[in-house]
Amino acid sequence: MISSRPSPRLLFGDGESRLLGVFGDPIAHSLSPKIHNLSLAYWDLNYRYLPFRVRPKNLEQALFGFRALGGVGFNATIPHKEALLPFMDQLSLTAKKVGAVNTVSIGPEGQFIGDNTDTYGFITVLKKQVSTVLEDKNILVLGAGGACRAVLVALLDEGCQHILLANRTRERAETLANHFSHGDPAKISTIPLDFTSLPLEEVDIIVNTTSLGLHGHDEFPLPAHRLPSHALLYDIVYSTQGTPLKRLAQKHRLTFVDGLDMLIHQAALAFKIWTGRDMPVEWVKGQLSNPGTKNE
Ligand code: ATR
């Protein structure tokens, strides 16, 4: 466990230091370096986890360069999760199902092993909040972009049978629904993203996977007064300033699940894959919310 003073090898590195990181573009906003380096320090593990701004055109070079430097593994975020697929020598079942990789390990023969820990992060946090079975819940998923894929795989794996998918571009929702429900409209049905006509009175859980409200809009346009009082709002988007959906949930006293929890739990599984250790999740959360810890 972490001591009051990090050891010199943790501060400065040495010939034994092992390399981890995250590839993304942009990457400056990412909390992953903080989450992983805190956990590495907690266990006094001689690794470094660095953010790498990798432009899409340089992804292949970055991948092989990272391996050449002796890297152990890395996370991938926007815009690389799907682009990494063809470079992987092995893929976990989850990464195959989602069609995206967010965790890469370099195997003993230098092989690239792709996994997806977003599904685990998403469902672990949801199951902590919902004590009864998820199968029978009416779940409304907003958005049908890349981030939605892991959510749908996780919900279907959990046996959920009443998923409504609403997206601004309806065809995108239909394509995803057909793909993941294998054409069974009973599992996932699509509806237009028209906030005035969404069947909110029937909904138990809303999962937001859109970037709605994050770019200059102040409010999330959901008429939350129509939701039942037990409804749970889950924003997989996170912001250290709080998201528009979080503010809406607080205003209407609805249970809210923060995307930051999902981020920490997906990181915990990646950490376990690379180091074999359990991430001290609650301790990391406490460190991140400590006012003395700067998150940007
Ligand atoms: P990601 O990979 O992070 O999911 P994305 O593929 O760009 O990002 O998807 C963003 C999602 O937010 C999409 O579902 C998008 O809707 P469209 O498919 O119609 O583009 C949704 N989105 C973004 N801005 C939105 C807005 N102002 N209103 C409604 N939906 C929005």
Side-chain angles (χ1 to χ4, degrees):
M1 205 194 130
I2 195 166
S3 61
S4 53
R5 280 172 144 222
S7 59
R9 63 173 198 160
L10 276 188
L11 276 177
F12 308 119
D14 60 23
E16 305 282 307
S17 301
R18 309 183 78 193
L19 182 61
L20 295 168
V22 53
F23 290 9
D25 185 19
I27 199 62
H29 67 286
S30 175
L31 286 179
S32 294
K34 188 170 279 182
I35 292 169
H36 282 279
N37 285 316
L38 280 166
S39 306
L40 292 166
Y42 179 94
W43 288 116
D44 194 26
L45 296 175
N46 193 8
Y47 293 73
R48 293 294 174 291
Y49 184 107
L50 297 175
F52 295 102
R53 184 172 184 192
V54 177
R55 307 297 168 113
K57 68 178 170 57
N58 295 329
L59 180 62
E60 185 173 359
Q61 271 184 303
L63 185 67
F64 289 97
F66 187 84
R67 181 171 70 183
L69 289 171
V72 172
F74 64 91
N75 286 129
T77 184
I78 290 170
H80 302 310
K81 290 187 183 185
E82 281 114 29
L84 276 170
L85 277 174
F87 297 111
M88 296 297 109
D89 300 303
Q90 291 171 36
L91 275 178
S92 71
L93 183 60
T94 310
K96 269 188 210 157
K97 277 204 256 183
V98 177
V101 164
N102 83 325
T103 300
V104 176
S105 311
I106 317 289
E109 313 296 329
Q111 68 274 43
F112 295 117
I113 305 165
D115 210 330
N116 190 306
T117 66
D118 287 330
T119 49
Y120 169 85
F122 170 77
I123 208 73
T124 303
V125 176
L126 184 58
K127 282 162 84 175
K128 275 191 190 178
Q129 283 291 337
V130 182
S131 46
T132 51
V133 283
L134 284 170
E135 276 172 45
D136 302 325
K137 303 284 183 212
N138 289 320
I139 304 175
L140 171 63
V141 178
L142 306 176
C148 178
R149 302 175 68 92
V151 168
L152 292 180
V153 168
L155 293 174
L156 290 172
D157 279 356
E158 210 51 44
C160 297
Q161 299 174 38
H162 308 286
I163 304 171
L164 267 180
L165 186 57
N167 194 47
R168 179 177 59 183
T169 312
R170 178 96 184 253
E171 306 80 66
R172 237 180 144 187
E174 279 164 4
T175 306
L176 268 197
N178 279 331
H179 176 75
F180 286 116
S181 64
H182 306 290
D184 179 357
K187 281 189 183 160
I188 308 178
S189 34
T190 65
I191 47 170
L193 183 54
D194 171 3
F195 284 102
T196 55
S197 63
L198 288 175
L200 299 179
E201 291 78 3
E202 321 285 315
V203 166
D204 301 307
I205 297 169
I206 295 185
V207 182
N208 176 45
T209 76
T210 74
S211 46
L212 198 60
L214 281 185
H215 306 295
H217 303 275
D218 290 326
E219 291 186 0
F220 201 92
L222 179 77
H225 61 275
R226 286 178 34 221
L227 286 166
S229 58
H230 71 267
L232 177 148
L233 304 183
Y234 189 162
D235 208 343
I236 70 162
V237 178
Y238 75 90
S239 161
T240 48
Q241 274 80 44
T243 61
L245 189 61
K246 183 174 186 173
R247 289 192 284 278
L248 188 71
Q250 283 168 340
K251 187 171 157 196
H252 291 267
R253 297 170 192 271
L254 294 165
T255 309
F256 180 74
V257 181
D258 201 312
L260 183 59
D261 279 347
M262 172 175 164
L263 181 79
I264 295 176
H265 281 84
Q266 67 74 30
L269 182 55
F271 191 80
K272 181 86 176 175
I273 291 171
W274 296 324
T275 68
R277 299 291 182 107
D278 291 322
M279 180 175 278
V281 167
E282 293 308 319
W283 180 79
V284 168
K285 257 199 238 175
Q287 295 292 310
L288 291 177
S289 59
N290 179 340
T293 311
K294 198 163 174 288
N295 283 337
E296 289 302 312

